[in-house]
Amino acid sequence: MIKQILLSSTVLACFAGFPVLAEVSKAELEAISIPDKVETPIGTLEFFDGVPVGDTVEKLYDNLDLARGLAVYMGNQGAASLHAMRTGNAGIGADASNRITITEQLLQPESLYLTGNTSTLYALGYLDLKKDGPLVIELPPGMLGFVDDAWFRFVENLGAIGPDKGKGGKYLMLPPSYQGAVPDGYFVIRTGTYSNLLFLRGSIAKGLAPAVENIKSNLKVYSLAQAGNPPDTEFVDFSGKSYNTIAPNDFSFFEGLDQVVQEEPIDAIGPEARGLLAAIGIVKGQPFEPDARMKRLLGEAATIGNATARAITYQPRIDGVFIYPGTDSAWTTAYANKNTTFEENGAMNLDARVLFYFNATGVTQAMAATTVGQGSDYALAYLDADKNPLDGSKTYKLRLPPDVPVNNFWAVTLYDTQTRSLLRTGQKFPTVGSQSDGLQKNADGSYDVYFAPEAPEGKKGNWLQTVPGKSWFTILRMYGPLEPWVDKSWRPGEIELVQ
């Protein structure tokens, strides 16, 4: 018979000349053990000498699945957003690569688009390389645009910031792992996903009509296999059209994400991201069929994720978000530290990624890089000068000091804090700026912009209408920002409560 002997650290030292081992302290034992009963945020957890008993296992697995669902929700905002955009646009007829949506009468509040503007002409295409294979994009001159992949990651710039340098030209989009011949005469774009966003903006400096005509006459999208006789490119005008392109905040968020995973190559994302998705039941090549318990937990994860994304948006704690750090200014930027990869020092800035994708669409460094006299730069204000939410029943004033430093124009636009889309009011375009008719300049060259349900007396040209019972936020866009904006020697005032 073999006897089991419990040896203390002192006894062990007597064998084979081992050195004396210090006894494990009570504090060390406590640090690696767990009491039989623990009070936690998820309730009372019970153990028998470290083994979970009773309903503790159920509580812990519920918490684990909820946490993983929350991580998936927060980490895949980009994929869910692009999927929602693609689905929404398919619903109005833009359901093929050669069907391009366009704002012929500019973007209007009826269309739910994350922080779109009313000052430039949009043209958007959702390119399906799985269905069409290699795709040709014949780009008109004078465009500003880019391509993003199915996870809303940057792929390539087009137009003035791309290889054609604004002269236009032919681009060739190649599907993932494409091994075929590549013909000459194209700017070649390789992408890691089948679904990709084609995002274009056209300047309306010479008028809206010629900008629309330039796109509709010259933009062509077709399969390389049809290059000898390409079909017509069709255009869907969504100005004033009521439809939604914003990802949901309930269980259906995960259903849409599953569709993306099923459609895209398995290596479109890494094993860590795939593992997190698999932990909640989203696996490429397998049906997503969560039971009632898991559906409930994922619905809760979406609710908590939505709330958390709003905390990150309206009360950010990320370095590099505030434009005027060290001051009481509420003005922020959508790209923390002007970083469009969201990676810093070899690590993903998770909150910065959520901040952008929850509120905006389209990723290119050109949108974050500030070039004196060119492009555009944005400042966002979600709170008033006293750091309170902006109340649609009250009157506020924003002063822009004299000599607003822009080469082109400036614009102030209002957004709905729920949808992060243009605020729907009695005004067709919730924007006022240097191109607005009736805008009044103060005697010293400054401008006052008013936000209120009704226009202050004599200030209608400087007024943006708000809605009692609703909050709002604003974006100040600087087109062709000049040096005083870049070096911050000129800065906008805060949004001050008038009454």
Side-chain angles (χ1 to χ4, degrees):
M1 186 175 73
I2 299 174
K3 270 189 168 183
Q4 184 178 33
I5 303 175
L6 300 178
L7 301 176
S8 72
S9 58
T10 303
V11 173
L12 283 171
C14 297
F15 289 92
F18 289 164
V20 175
L21 302 178
E23 292 191 12
V24 177
S25 70
K26 180 180 179 182
E28 287 177 304
L29 283 172
E30 289 179 349
I32 61 175
S33 304
I34 193 167
D36 286 347
K37 183 175 290 188
V38 182
E39 298 299 329
T40 76
I42 62 171
T44 301
L45 305 180
E46 297 182 347
F47 302 85
F48 169 63
D49 199 24
V51 180
V53 295
D55 65 355
T56 292
V57 171
E58 180 181 350
K59 289 179 182 177
L60 290 170
Y61 276 127
D62 279 358
N63 184 64
L64 180 61
D65 289 339
L66 176 63
R68 285 173 170 167
L70 177 59
V72 167
Y73 178 93
M74 301 297 281
N76 289 273
Q77 283 289 310
S81 183
L82 195 138
H83 175 73
M85 290 174 66
R86 182 162 60 101
T87 302
N89 281 276
I92 60 170
D95 55 357
S97 299
N98 69 330
R99 292 177 181 164
I100 306 298
T101 56
I102 186 171
T103 54
E104 294 192 28
Q105 299 300 318
L106 301 178
L107 184 64
Q108 296 173 29
E110 289 80 5
S111 304
L112 296 183
Y113 260 93
L114 291 176
T115 52
N117 74 69
T118 66
S119 304
T120 56
L121 171 64
Y122 288 117
L124 305 167
Y126 298 88
L127 309 180
D128 188 345
L129 300 175
K130 179 176 284 187
K131 176 182 177 183
D132 299 319
L135 276 172
V136 177
I137 303 167
E138 291 190 16
L139 192 72
M143 291 290 98
L144 185 70
F146 52 87
V147 172
D148 286 343
D149 77 3
W151 263 264
F152 241 136
R153 297 170 297 203
F154 173 73
V155 176
E156 181 59 274
N157 285 317
L158 308 174
I161 54 177
D164 68 283
K165 306 300 182 185
K167 298 177 182 178
K170 292 184 178 181
Y171 286 80
L172 180 60
M173 289 277 299
L174 298 179
S177 304
Y178 179 76
Q179 298 296 322
V182 180
D184 295 332
Y186 295 94
F187 300 113
V188 176
I189 300 176
R190 295 184 180 271
T191 175
T193 62
Y194 292 111
S195 180
N196 295 268
L197 168 67
L198 171 65
F199 184 104
L200 298 174
R201 294 197 304 188
S203 171
I204 60 174
K206 296 181 180 179
L208 180 58
V212 171
E213 179 62 23
N214 181 41
I215 291 177
K216 295 183 72 173
S217 297
N218 299 306
L219 177 62
K220 295 179 174 59
V221 179
Y222 52 87
S223 170
L224 179 64
Q226 299 173 306
N229 185 27
D232 291 339
T233 298
E234 303 174 30
F235 293 90
V236 179
D237 180 16
F238 67 95
S239 293
K241 190 163 289 188
S242 179
Y243 75 114
N244 177 36
T245 67
I246 300 173
N249 298 315
D250 56 20
F251 172 73
S252 64
F253 176 98
F254 300 97
E255 293 177 307
L257 186 56
D258 174 67
Q259 186 176 338
V260 176
V261 170
Q262 302 307 327
E263 292 174 349
E264 297 302 338
I266 193 168
D267 60 355
I269 54 176
E272 187 80 17
R274 289 199 302 271
L276 193 57
L277 288 164
I280 65 166
I282 297 178
V283 180
K284 185 172 177 62
Q286 298 181 19
F288 178 50
E289 298 176 337
D291 59 19
R293 167 189 165 275
M294 197 65 181
K295 282 185 177 180
R296 172 180 61 81
L297 290 171
L298 292 179
E300 292 173 0
T303 298
I304 296 170
N306 174 36
T308 305
R310 291 175 184 275
I312 291 170
T313 295
Y314 300 120
Q315 297 281 359
R317 63 180 188 180
I318 316 165
D319 290 339
V321 169
F322 289 97
I323 297 175
Y324 308 103
T327 73
D328 291 331
S329 177
W331 291 105
T332 63
T333 177
Y335 285 115
N337 296 307
K338 293 188 174 290
N339 185 341
T340 57
T341 68
F342 313 111
E343 293 182 28
E344 298 176 2
N345 300 318
M348 181 63 68
N349 188 329
L350 301 177
D351 287 359
R353 186 172 61 183
V354 170
L355 174 70
F356 180 82
Y357 283 126
F358 188 71
N359 296 288
T361 60
V363 174
T364 170
Q365 183 57 35
M367 293 183 68
T370 304
T371 303
V372 174
Q374 299 179 29
S376 56
D377 205 3
Y378 308 151
L380 299 89
Y382 295 104
L383 305 172
D384 69 13
D386 297 319
K387 302 299 191 299
N388 294 316
L390 296 157
D391 186 337
S393 66
K394 298 177 181 179
T395 298
Y396 299 86
K397 182 175 74 172
L398 164 64
R399 172 156 290 183
L400 301 180
D403 302 317
V404 180
V406 289
N407 193 33
N408 297 320
F409 64 96
W410 59 267
V412 176
T413 304
L414 285 194
Y415 295 92
D416 186 321
T417 51
Q418 289 283 11
T419 66
R420 292 90 70 205
S421 299
L422 294 171
L423 185 66
R424 295 191 68 170
T425 68
Q427 295 174 314
K428 182 177 181 180
F429 298 109
T431 299
V432 67
S434 55
Q435 293 185 321
S436 301
D437 293 334
L439 181 70
Q440 298 176 8
K441 183 186 291 189
N442 296 326
D444 65 353
S446 64
Y447 294 94
D448 290 328
V449 177
Y450 292 88
F451 312 90
E454 302 291 337
E457 186 174 354
K459 302 296 182 182
K460 190 170 184 179
N462 295 49
W463 165 66
L464 285 169
Q465 188 171 27
T466 59
V467 180
K470 284 195 65 61
S471 188
W472 54 271
F473 67 93
T474 190
I475 299 180
L476 168 64
R477 288 181 167 87
M478 308 286 280
Y479 292 91
L482 299 177
E483 189 65 35
W485 169 264
V486 177
D487 67 17
K488 302 180 184 178
S489 57
W490 183 98
R491 58 181 273 190
E494 301 300 302
I495 298 176
E496 304 281 352
L497 178 63
V498 176
Q499 62 180 30

